[in-house]
């Protein structure tokens, strides 16, 4: 099986990283970019050189997926998980939970450990395994190099290798085009209690119910993309079951795919049914947010507010895979996750230290007529909705909805859109690239007319200085970035840049 050009680049970059004496690079590749095929190729070449390779995964579905990918490359491998017989192949795919129990019984010593969904590799079970094999090289792969608590992966990894962006993959048809919609009613996230660093699931479900958002989610689905295969991400098991019942009452074929009371075979059947039209809707918590490959899924309905960028991106990532007859993927965000974390295709400045806070203010604009969410292309007013053509001017306020429940706060959208904070101002200015941009910002901020000219003069001076900078100082070990490594290794820059 041939790799796509950007996948080959990723393989080359990882090899260059190992050659440059990094012991533990982590590859960031958007969901749907084909990370399994990339690390299987790496495993193949490592095994061909006589090395043992251990591939660590944390879900049963991922074992099956990885085993299938290895089989497609004709690679002999074993599986360390319940129900599989032991063999002596050089490549072993292991369930983390099983391996940690059998660690001292297994005489398999990998020189390379590949960790799929590496943002999980911080729990104590992973630590035990990595300590046990402390001589092995590590390769992590993930779409979201950020732990669920927002921290980075620097504890285990020493270099972040970035793959292409979501935008690049969409533009080149490796991922589906998408439409993002929000609800006219905004969930008041600030009123929900935080528990274990995220919104309390019980309270979240109750707030959604109180505000009538659970019902609205079904209305929106019917309005935007009825009967298109959908996953509904819910707050807890009870919420998932209630939502499945509601979809059934509304005339859809729906089922709740939850961990309790649903066996692996039944789960696999549900996923198949969603693919073949026997089901319209699967409701779930997170059991299908990661690693489950269902290209046909078209719609993600977000009914779980989350503070975790990783959870949000893993959820929306489920629907971005292209499939025949799939013109668009639909995200129906009922809980303000898009406003909080930005558009799914937004460029993100990932680093081993986690996502910088400054990146988290998203340039999302919500249309006050059709409630589509989109990235605002310029600073100019009016902002025209690309979906319905509605013109927005700075002073426009969202229409008041009569009869809105107590926990609902319509002001939130208005604040997001029209009040420019100090932080936004800095960001706008940083983005400005010509005098015209500065004049626009000046108008937006009510600055004196001369400001734009002075600001632009200063910027121009900085630009010309930057161009004439002498070559940078020697770089320290941890400060390496991919461009430099590639320069040293003589590899040209990938088309998606730094
Ligand atoms: Zn619109």
């Amino acid at each position: 099986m041939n790799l796509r050009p950007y996948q080959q680049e990723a393989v080359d970059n990882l090899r260059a990283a190992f050659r440059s004496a990094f012991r533990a690079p982590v590859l960031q590749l958007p969901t749907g970019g084909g990370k399994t095929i990339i690390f299987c190729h790496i495993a193949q070449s490592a095994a061909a050189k006589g090395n043992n390779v251990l591939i660590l995964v944390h879900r049963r579905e991922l074992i099956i997926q990885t085993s299938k990918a290895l089989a497609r490359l004709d690679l002999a491998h074993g599986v360390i998980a319940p129900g599989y017989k032991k063999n002596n192949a050089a490549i072993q795919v292991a369930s983390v939970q099983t391996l940690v129990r059998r660690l001292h019984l297994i005489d398999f010593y990998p020189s390379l450990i590949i960790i799929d969904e590496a943002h999980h590799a911080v729990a104590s079970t992973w630590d035990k395994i990595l300590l046990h094999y402390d001589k092995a090289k590590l390769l992590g792969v993930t779409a979201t190099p950020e732990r669920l608590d927002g921290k980075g992966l620097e504890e285990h990894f020493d270099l972040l290798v970035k793959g292409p962006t979501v935008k690049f993959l969409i533009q080149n048809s490796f991922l589906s085009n998408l439409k993002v919609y929000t609800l006219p009613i905004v969930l008041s996230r600030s009123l929900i209690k935080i528990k274990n660093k995220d919104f309390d699931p019980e309270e979240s479900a109750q707030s959604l119910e109180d505000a009538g958002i659970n019902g609205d989610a079904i209305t929106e689905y019917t309005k935007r993309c009825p009967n298109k295969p959908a996953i509904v991400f819910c707050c807890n098991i009870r919420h998932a079951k209630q939502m499945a019942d509601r979809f059934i009452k509304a005339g859809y074929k729906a089922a709740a795919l939850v961990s309790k009371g649903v066996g692996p075979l039944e789960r696999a059947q549900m996923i198949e049914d969603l693919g073949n039209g026997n089901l319209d809707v699967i409701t779930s918590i997170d059991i299908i947010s990661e690693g489950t490959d269902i290209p046909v899924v078209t719609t993600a309905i977000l009914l779980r507010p989350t503070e975790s960028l990783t959870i949000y991106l893993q959820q929306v990532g489920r629907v971005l895979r292209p499939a025949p007859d799939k013109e668009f993927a639909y995200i129906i965000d009922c809980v303000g996750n898009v406003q909080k974390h930005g558009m799914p295709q937004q460029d993100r400045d990932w680093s081993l230290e986690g996502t910088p806070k400054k990146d988290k203010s998203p340039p999302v604009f919500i249309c006050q007529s059709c409630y589509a969410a989109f990235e605002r292309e310029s600073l100019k007013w009016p902002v025209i909705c690309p979906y319905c053509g509605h013109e927005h001017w700075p002073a426009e306020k969202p229409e008041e909805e009569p009869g809105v429940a107590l926990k609902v706060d319509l002001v939130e959208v208005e604040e997001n859109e029209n009040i420019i904070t100090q932080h936004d101002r800095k960001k706008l200015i940083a983005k400005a690239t010509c005098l015209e941009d500065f004049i626009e910002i000046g108008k937006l901020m009510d600055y004196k007319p001369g400001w734009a000219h002075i600001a632009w003069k200063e910027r121009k001076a900085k630009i010309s200085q930057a161009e004439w900078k002498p070559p940078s100082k020697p770089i320290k070990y941890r400060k390496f970035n991919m461009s430099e490594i590639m320069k040293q290794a003589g590899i040209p820059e990938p088309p998606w840049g730094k």
Side-chain angles (χ1 to χ4, degrees):
M1 187 184 286
N2 285 335
L3 292 174
R4 298 168 182 167
Y6 72 83
Q7 293 171 334
Q8 186 61 53
E9 297 264 10
V11 169
D12 293 343
N13 290 348
L14 290 168
R15 285 191 185 131
F18 282 123
R19 276 202 306 273
S20 312
F22 287 96
R23 195 186 75 85
V26 57
L27 171 68
Q28 185 271 327
L29 187 74
T31 306
K35 64 186 165 53
T36 310
I37 195 73
I38 290 175
F39 72 66
C40 286
H41 269 263
I42 301 255
Q44 181 178 34
S45 48
K49 286 179 199 146
N51 297 299
N52 280 346
V53 182
L54 175 67
I55 302 174
L56 281 179
V57 300
H58 76 295
R59 276 187 205 282
R60 195 189 170 83
E61 283 83 1
L62 291 174
I63 292 176
I64 298 164
Q65 196 174 304
T66 307
S67 181
K68 275 186 188 165
L70 290 167
R72 277 197 293 271
L73 292 169
D74 280 332
L75 288 176
H77 60 280
V79 174
I80 302 170
Y84 289 90
K85 268 195 189 148
K86 187 186 160 205
N87 73 15
N88 292 324
I91 302 174
Q92 297 286 329
V93 184
S95 136
V96 178
Q97 293 82 355
T98 310
L99 183 65
V100 79
R101 284 197 304 269
R102 299 186 194 166
L103 211 47
H104 293 279
L105 304 171
I106 289 173
D107 58 343
F108 177 77
Y109 292 93
S111 25
L112 173 65
I113 299 177
I114 295 171
I115 301 183
D116 194 9
E117 306 289 359
H119 52 279
H120 286 286
V122 284
S124 59
T125 35
W126 297 85
D127 280 349
K128 273 183 205 154
I129 295 170
L130 298 183
L131 270 174
H132 186 75
Y133 295 125
D134 61 348
K135 299 281 183 296
K137 288 185 175 178
L138 280 189
L139 165 60
V141 282
T142 175
T144 50
E146 179 185 274
R147 293 161 36 160
L148 299 182
D149 62 6
K151 289 193 181 133
L153 300 181
E154 54 188 336
E155 211 176 301
H156 290 308
F157 298 97
D158 58 10
L159 177 75
L160 181 70
V161 176
K162 290 181 195 172
T165 61
V166 177
K167 268 185 194 148
F168 173 90
L169 295 176
I170 292 175
Q171 278 158 6
N172 290 278
S173 305
F174 295 121
L175 290 179
S176 171
N177 276 309
L178 80 162
K179 288 186 173 181
V180 179
Y181 289 103
T182 60
L183 297 189
I185 288 181
V186 177
L187 176 73
S188 239
R189 294 163 69 104
S190 58
L191 296 178
I192 304 169
K193 192 167 71 193
I194 298 283
K195 192 177 161 185
N196 297 330
K197 299 193 174 164
D198 208 349
F199 296 113
D200 178 49
E202 290 290 327
E203 259 198 29
S204 303
Q206 193 56 49
S207 300
L208 290 169
E209 191 57 39
D210 292 348
I213 290 174
N214 286 327
D216 287 352
I218 299 172
T219 313
E220 288 301 308
Y221 173 66
T222 306
K223 188 162 126 195
R224 309 290 184 192
C225 46
N227 300 96
K228 297 232 192 244
I231 303 177
V232 185
F233 292 101
C234 300
C235 303
N236 55 24
I237 292 180
R238 201 177 54 196
H239 186 210
K241 287 183 173 169
Q242 282 169 352
M243 285 312 295
D245 287 345
R246 284 189 171 203
F247 271 98
I248 291 167
K249 280 195 189 116
Y252 295 106
K253 292 167 277 180
L257 197 161
V258 292
S259 53
K260 260 190 198 158
V262 184
L265 285 177
E266 211 179 329
R267 277 188 233 164
Q269 186 61 48
M270 279 184 192
I271 289 169
E272 206 182 307
D273 285 346
L274 191 64
N276 63 25
N278 285 339
L279 278 177
D280 301 310
V281 174
I282 281 181
T283 64
S284 176
I285 302 149
D286 59 1
I287 203 157
I288 42 177
S289 63
E290 273 174 20
T292 316
D293 197 359
I294 335 171
V296 70
V297 179
T298 300
T299 306
I301 301 175
L302 310 185
L303 270 178
R304 170 187 175 185
T306 179
E307 291 286 271
S308 163
L309 174 63
T310 290
I311 290 176
Y312 163 67
L313 287 179
Q314 293 286 348
Q315 291 186 344
V316 298
R318 289 306 115 208
V319 299
L320 293 184
R321 284 172 207 269
D325 302 327
K326 181 167 163 184
E327 196 189 350
F328 287 103
Y330 293 87
I331 314 275
I332 300 176
D333 176 19
C334 310
V335 289
N337 285 346
V338 173
Q339 284 104 316
K340 164 76 191 179
H341 301 293
M343 298 292 283
Q345 70 271 45
Q346 182 184 313
D347 289 342
R348 290 169 201 279
D349 192 11
W350 294 112
S351 78
L352 276 184
E353 292 79 33
T355 314
K357 282 266 182 308
K358 64 178 171 60
D359 244 45
K360 289 201 170 171
S361 169
V364 174
F365 197 93
I366 309 281
C367 173
Q368 291 307 313
S369 175
C370 74
Y371 299 100
F374 54 91
E375 284 185 301
R376 191 173 169 179
E377 276 177 5
S378 82
L379 302 170
K380 295 191 176 113
W381 296 96
V383 177
I384 297 170
C385 171
Y387 298 97
C388 72
H390 184 80
E391 278 185 15
H392 299 79
W393 295 90
E396 186 179 1
K397 288 184 180 157
E399 279 174 32
E400 297 273 338
E401 286 266 325
V404 166
L406 199 68
K407 284 198 178 183
V408 169
D409 181 8
L410 270 171
V411 182
E412 216 166 291
V413 162
E414 188 193 351
E415 278 177 357
N416 279 347
E417 307 317 325
N418 297 333
I419 297 174
I420 311 258
T421 62
Q422 180 82 355
H423 173 70
D424 290 337
R425 195 192 61 167
K426 278 191 188 158
K427 244 172 86 171
L428 290 179
I429 293 174
K431 276 189 181 168
T433 54
C434 58
L435 177 61
E436 212 181 59
D437 286 350
F438 281 97
I439 292 174
E440 281 303 319
I441 297 170
K443 279 187 203 159
L444 204 65
M445 305 293 169
D446 277 331
Y447 290 157
K448 284 180 187 158
W451 172 85
H453 293 269
I454 296 166
W456 171 234
K457 215 172 143 186
E458 280 176 11
R459 170 65 54 84
K460 262 200 308 195
K462 271 188 197 160
I463 293 171
S464 52
Q465 264 174 35
E467 275 171 3
W468 291 104
K469 244 186 204 164
S472 53
K473 289 172 232 157
I475 307 137
K476 284 180 205 155
Y477 179 73
R478 289 300 296 268
K479 297 279 179 197
F480 261 98
N481 67 31
M482 218 40 230
S483 316
E484 273 134 7
I485 289 168
M486 286 160 55
K487 235 183 260 163
Q488 286 180 3
I491 303 165
E493 283 272 299
W496 51 89
K498 279 156 247 167

